[in-house]
Amino acid sequence: MTTLLSRLRMGWFGLLLAACWATPLLAADGGFSVTSAETDLKNGVYRLNARIHFGLSERVIEAMNSGVPQVIEIEMQVLRPRDYVWDETLASVLQRYEVVYHALSERYVVNNLNTASRNSFPSLGEALYQIGLVTDFPLIDARLLPEGEQCYVEMRARLDIESLPTPIRLTAYTNSSWWLSSDWTRWPLQP
């Protein structure tokens, strides 16, 4: 009897673990997407121009409006393709933005965690629009690229649930409303 009960517990535990693992694959509502991206070579430096759409889920907005800061990350990479092993990363940049709602002023404050700059916006839509507008961002010096080889750029945006307070983070691991991320967008780095 004890062995049967033990097996049943392990079976339920396995199902619970599988459900927790599978849940984050799709967000129930909201979603992030890179809607346009391109690079230009200016004065020997490749610069990135991109537009990212941030669709936050109801739970994320509710938590933010209750005073829980949300961190959005924009990942950018320059890669050199290789035949038999994974592609070589030539440059990798992680831009992090913290969005905080201030109830007293009824404004959304965006803190650039890389540069420590801060901007205030009257609405969440305006704050997200500004984060998603990547303009003339220096990505890589052209001298660092291998001569005569075609490289490419990848970029994605995601909500960083690891930066959430612990009680909310535990809920976020098992609730798909928190798993907001765009797919990787890839394009060739044009000379």
Side-chain angles (χ1 to χ4, degrees):
M1 182 70 174
T2 311
T3 308
L4 179 62
L5 188 58
S6 175
R7 286 185 182 167
L8 284 173
R9 282 187 192 143
M10 288 305 291
W12 282 108
F13 178 73
L15 284 173
L16 178 64
L17 189 60
C20 290
W21 179 78
T23 299
L25 297 179
L26 294 173
D29 49 355
F32 292 3
S33 62
V34 178
T35 57
S36 67
E38 64 180 16
T39 46
D40 293 322
L41 182 60
K42 294 180 184 174
N43 299 323
V45 176
Y46 281 96
R47 297 186 173 273
L48 173 66
N49 294 297
R51 184 74 197 100
I52 305 165
H53 169 74
F54 299 106
L56 298 179
S57 66
E58 296 278 333
R59 286 184 188 252
V60 172
I61 293 171
E62 181 182 329
M64 186 184 310
N65 290 338
S66 297
V68 179
Q70 303 297 316
V71 174
I72 294 173
E73 297 181 336
I74 301 174
E75 298 176 74
M76 299 160 274
Q77 299 179 5
V78 177
L79 301 147
R80 181 177 69 90
R82 296 193 283 192
D83 291 330
Y84 299 107
V85 293
W86 51 88
D87 295 345
E88 178 184 6
T89 303
L90 302 175
S92 182
V93 180
L94 180 65
Q95 278 293 118
R96 296 176 44 121
Y97 299 92
E98 179 186 59
V99 184
V100 182
Y101 177 67
H102 288 269
L104 188 60
S105 64
E106 296 182 346
R107 294 186 67 84
Y108 291 86
V109 176
V110 175
N111 300 309
N112 184 323
L113 299 177
N114 294 57
T115 64
S117 65
R118 173 180 283 197
N119 292 305
S120 175
F121 301 92
S123 71
L124 179 57
E126 289 179 66
L128 295 175
Y129 179 83
Q130 191 61 40
I131 294 171
L133 191 59
V134 181
T135 306
D136 215 26
F137 185 86
L139 195 57
I140 189 169
D141 191 300
R143 294 176 294 176
L144 298 176
L145 298 174
E147 197 170 316
E149 292 189 42
Q150 179 66 54
C151 297
Y152 63 93
V153 180
E154 280 187 337
M155 119 180 260
R156 76 171 174 178
R158 68 185 193 91
L159 184 71
D160 180 20
I161 64 170
E162 294 297 321
S163 65
L164 293 168
T166 303
I168 296 173
R169 189 180 334 139
L170 295 175
T171 303
Y173 286 139
T174 59
N175 189 314
S176 63
S177 296
W178 290 90
W179 289 84
L180 300 171
S181 177
S182 72
D183 293 330
W184 282 102
T185 298
R186 177 186 289 193
W187 67 97
L189 192 59
Q190 299 295 336

